[in-house]
Amino acid sequence: MIGYRDMTDFCVEATTPFSDPGLPRDEVFAAVQRPPFIEALWFWFKLGWISFGGTAAHIAIMHDELVQKKRWISNGKFLHALSHCMVLPGPEAQQLAIYIGWKLHGKRGGVVAGTLFVLPSMFVLLGLSLIYVKFGNIPWIAAMFNGLKPAVIALVVIALHNLARRALRGPVQSGVAVAAFACMFFFDVSLLLVMLGAIALGIVLAALAPGLLYRPSAVGAQEDEDGYYISLHSVTPEPEPLLKTAAKLASTFLLLWLLPLPAFYFFVEDFHFWKSLVLFFTKAAFVTIGGSYTVIPYVAQVAVLKLHWLTSSQMTEGFALAETTPGPLIIVVAFVGFMAGYNHFHGSLCMGTLGLIATTFYTFLPCFFFVFTGAPLVEKTQGKQRIQGVLGLITAVVVGAILNLTLFLGKAVIFQRGTVAFTQLDAISLGWVIFSLVLLQRFKLNLIYLILLSVGVGFARYFVGV
């Protein structure tokens, strides 16, 4: 991945993509072609392996690659879809990938995008889980991933800067972003409550003072939509009636949900355990709105205190393992499923592996249902200023949440044991954050090379002992 370019240059470049500036406008649009399916498949596969750093980093990578570099989707359409995904249960970054995949190549594109977003992290976490139960925490593995964390912080900082410049185009949006950050950072208010508050404010303003919701630069932003395969100006076929589409998808979802249950009943011991695991993670996928940081506390509380599938210490260590893998942070539930099967069946690696696979399947399957069912709504709300104004406030909440996450993660990386004090400052980590920012911003270093460099720094620190 090439790092973010200056956004001013981007706005200028977006008006004449792929062609000579002298080409007529119609010819510019004609030059925008849908990417081949194999090219999209390769991108989603690569994204699954390099998407370290949680939601903020995932959004950063997708925005940089798909909006700025490949121009598969415009910035306006990207933010519009992201706002919708934020109000759905489950990991919004994966849901955004599903939506973009669907817009590019239909349902098969959405299935491929969403699946490849999760599969690499599942396999990596499976390997780490097997190592964990056989050997415990291995220091050199932890050190290797510790080298990655400063680079992830740099990536998140860049994402925050660019998303804020594109999303906060008015005083109301900026105020909501600041308020969202303050509520989460200083008062520990959940993202879900902050989002509901922003939606309520948007509804009130849309009724009483709709002009406050419209971004001043919205008219001038029209040119930014030129030269993308998916944009706010894209002509989409008239979708099927929502009820008919929802009924078809619900039937397919139910069939897929039921499909593994006979295998658990006939071929695996203790069907009651597997039924409990399936129902619990399906419920978690449906009721937890607000991303990974809403899902994880709920799963930890029930799995540890009520179901006794693992200890609180194992839950904490699983969270640490999940932070070191690519993919969504919610993948920590796969570790919970692994430990549930491993502990329940008296140290069986096979049952632990089956628990991990089943947990991943039932946690992420509903995401496809939510996106494919809600995608027509995304299309219907496009161009409706009041609805888009409310969605703009949700995007502002995203900016505040990313700022909160940046400080939360940065504190743990830059200060030893997460204690903010000069004596606890990790000068090497701070230096690597700054150096990573320079490499990404100034020299446009490919993310893969930065990851390899960061892993090397982690190894070096471990062997030198600093």
Side-chain angles (χ1 to χ4, degrees), residues 149-172:
K149 292 178 181 178
V152 169
I153 297 301
L155 187 63
V156 173
V157 168
I158 293 173
L160 174 64
H161 173 256
N162 288 281
L163 182 61
R165 290 190 65 180
R166 299 293 288 171
L168 307 182
R169 292 185 174 179
V172 174

Side-chain angles (χ1 to χ4, degrees), residues 23-282:
L23 281 178
R25 182 183 176 90
D26 292 340
E27 290 185 35
V28 172
F29 275 109
V32 182
Q33 300 292 328
R34 181 173 69 169
F37 179 74
I38 191 67
E39 182 182 350
L41 186 148
W42 170 247
F43 169 76
W44 299 120
F45 176 78
K46 182 182 73 171
L47 178 66
W49 288 103
I50 67 174
S51 55
F52 292 91
T55 298
H58 303 160
I59 294 172
I61 294 172
M62 283 193 287
H63 189 278
D64 187 51
E65 286 277 348
L66 300 181
V67 176
Q68 298 197 56
K69 185 180 178 183
K70 295 182 181 297
R71 299 183 184 272
W72 289 353
I73 182 170
S74 72
N75 181 75
K77 191 70 171 181
F78 185 93
L79 294 180
H80 183 73
L82 175 60
S83 299
H84 279 275
C85 293
M86 284 296 296
V87 299
L88 295 176
E92 54 271 19
Q94 188 213 16
Q95 290 163 341
L96 181 60
I98 295 171
Y99 174 80
I100 296 174
W102 172 75
K103 289 292 292 181
L104 289 173
H105 298 101
K107 287 189 174 64
R108 69 165 181 164
V111 170
V112 165
T115 302
L116 293 180
F117 192 88
V118 173
L119 275 187
S121 58
M122 186 193 80
F123 286 122
V124 171
L125 191 59
L126 173 60
L128 293 176
S129 299
L130 292 170
I131 292 172
Y132 171 79
V133 296
K134 295 301 290 184
F135 305 105
N137 284 323
I138 299 179
W140 66 266
I141 291 181
M144 178 179 68
F145 287 111
N146 283 340
L148 277 173
K149 292 178 181 178
V152 169
I153 297 301
L155 187 63
V156 173
V157 168
I158 293 173
L160 174 64
H161 173 256
N162 288 281
L163 182 61
R165 290 190 65 180
R166 299 293 288 171
L168 307 182
R169 292 185 174 179
V172 174
Q173 290 79 15
S174 300
V176 167
V178 172
F181 164 73
C183 288
M184 289 183 280
F185 186 79
F186 294 108
F187 303 106
D188 201 26
V189 180
S190 72
L191 177 60
L192 175 59
L193 289 178
V194 174
M195 197 183 309
L196 291 175
I199 293 172
L201 174 63
I203 293 173
V204 171
L205 290 178
L208 301 180
L212 293 177
L213 290 178
Y214 306 148
R215 294 176 292 194
S217 57
V219 177
Q222 181 172 353
E223 290 299 317
D224 291 348
E225 299 299 316
D226 293 355
Y228 295 90
Y229 178 70
I230 306 168
S231 75
L232 295 176
H233 303 319
S234 299
V235 178
T236 57
E238 185 67 26
E240 292 185 76
L242 292 180
L243 289 179
K244 181 179 179 181
T245 301
K248 286 182 179 179
L249 290 169
S251 301
T252 304
F253 169 79
L254 183 60
L255 177 63
L256 293 173
W257 189 88
L258 291 170
L259 205 56
L261 294 182
F264 286 128
Y265 185 82
F266 289 108
F267 301 110
V268 187
E269 296 179 3
D270 197 350
F271 178 72
H272 177 74
F273 166 80
W274 295 107
K275 182 180 71 172
S276 298
L277 185 142
V278 167
L279 292 175
F280 171 64
F281 286 109
T282 300

Side-chain angles (χ1 to χ4, degrees), residues 88-90 192 280-290 294-295 298 370:
L88 295 176
L192 175 59
F280 171 64
F281 286 109
T282 300
K283 179 183 177 182
F286 271 89
V287 304
T288 47
I289 299 174
T294 305
V295 179
Y298 170 75
F370 295 141

Side-chain angles (χ1 to χ4, degrees), residues 1-26:
M1 184 192 88
I2 298 177
Y4 278 93
R5 292 172 290 176
D6 182 84
M7 295 304 290
T8 304
D9 294 339
F10 165 62
C11 291
V12 174
E13 293 167 11
T15 62
T16 55
F18 306 125
S19 60
D20 185 271
L23 281 178
R25 182 183 176 90
D26 292 340

